[in-house]
Amino acid sequence: AAALVDVIVSEWMGYMLVCENMFPSVAFARDRWLAPVGGRMLPESCGFWIAPFSHREAIEDMHGFWSSRPYGVDMSRLANRAIDEVISQPLLDLLHGPESVLSQPAEVWKMDCRTVTSQEVLAQTLSFAFDICHFAKFHGLACWFSCEFGAGVPEGLSTGPDDAPTHWMQTLCFAGLTSDACYGLDVGLDDRVEGSLSWRALGRGLALELRGAVRRKLARDVIPFCRKLELAKPG
């Protein structure tokens, strides 16, 4: 019989926690070699977090480049098309300042590394509902993760906007609202963003679907959104 181990330590987390599809091999090792009584997984658990975001800085930087006559050529007419192309897929970036996060972040999925199955990691559908807390341009949903290491390890890891920057950054899924989606949708206090985020493994990447609606109190309207995105393994 194979010798059992007391602890499995693995840094398997990818962008948006599950991109790169590395956890199934860890689960295989856990099920085969981790002691059934007292065995520990490090990290012990992971949380998946999302929040509505505004990222005018990124939009303005991209627009500024195309409007700056790069190489002496007037490319300003291409600015909107170029931005639309960039945000047609998830953007890996860092959000800065409280004005970038439009509501209290929510932990929408808790992953117990000791018991979660590979299938639960490979595909999920997560619901969300957020009340907007200040006036801004709504661009989409930001995703990140946190890790806890259990008893005796008080310090965890978080890759959120309020934490020290990491190479995981935040994964920004643009909702793509209206024809000038890159400039966002005006939202205000007590407006509501609700819907669902789904993923399924696509090789080492993820196929994503973002569905929902923005319910605007002052404008008295409901703006639906639906985007299919693909997060590829970088490099």
Side-chain angles (χ1 to χ4, degrees):
L4 299 180
V5 299
D6 295 318
V7 182
I8 292 178
V9 182
S10 178
E11 192 277 275
W12 53 266
M13 298 81 71
Y15 295 108
M16 219 175 98
L17 182 62
V18 294
C19 186
E20 300 182 54
N21 195 23
M22 293 189 287
F23 186 77
S25 60
V26 178
F28 175 85
R30 174 199 67 192
D31 296 342
R32 184 164 183 177
W33 291 298
L34 186 64
V37 178
R40 293 186 62 183
M41 297 287 292
L42 297 177
E44 182 177 85
S45 63
C46 299
F48 186 86
W49 295 78
I50 60 176
F53 77 90
S54 179
H55 200 348
R56 296 186 67 170
E57 180 181 295
I59 300 301
E60 290 169 359
D61 284 349
M62 287 186 280
H63 194 278
F65 170 80
W66 290 99
S67 301
S68 66
R69 297 182 64 87
Y71 314 109
V73 180
D74 182 1
M75 297 186 180
S76 58
R77 291 179 179 271
L78 299 177
N80 284 7
R81 292 287 298 274
I83 295 171
D84 284 339
E85 180 65 23
V86 171
I87 68 174
S88 67
Q89 301 303 335
L91 180 66
L92 299 171
D93 203 356
L94 295 169
L95 296 175
H96 299 286
E99 68 279 359
S100 297
V101 179
L102 306 184
S103 185
Q104 183 69 28
E107 185 182 42
V108 293
W109 185 48
K110 190 75 169 180
M111 174 181 166
D112 185 338
C113 297
R114 182 71 197 274
T115 60
V116 69
T117 67
S118 294
Q119 291 304 312
E120 290 176 285
V121 176
L122 293 175
Q124 278 286 337
T125 296
L126 308 171
S127 298
F128 58 81
F130 295 101
D131 293 319
I132 300 299
C133 60
H134 60 86
F135 292 92
K137 294 284 189 180
F138 168 70
H139 285 127
L141 275 294
C143 308
W144 65 90
F145 67 89
S146 61
C147 297
E148 297 174 357
F149 296 91
V153 188
E155 295 296 327
L157 166 71
S158 180
T159 62
D162 293 332
D163 302 297
T166 71
H167 73 278
W168 288 288
M169 297 180 278
Q170 289 90 54
T171 302
L172 309 181
C173 299
F174 284 78
L177 296 164
T178 73
S179 58
D180 62 342
C182 53
Y183 297 108
L185 181 73
D186 288 313
V187 293
L189 189 66
D190 294 332
D191 287 350
R192 192 167 178 82
V193 179
E194 56 191 15
S196 65
L197 173 66
S198 302
W199 77 68
R200 60 178 176 82
L202 193 66
R204 298 294 297 276
L206 291 174
L208 306 171
E209 184 170 282
L210 181 62
R211 288 179 173 270
V214 180
R215 301 180 181 276
R216 298 194 296 180
K217 188 175 181 180
L218 188 61
R220 296 183 179 180
D221 58 10
V222 178
I223 312 296
F225 56 87
C226 180
R227 296 291 304 280
K228 291 187 177 181
L229 308 164
E230 185 176 321
L231 179 58
K233 176 183 179 294

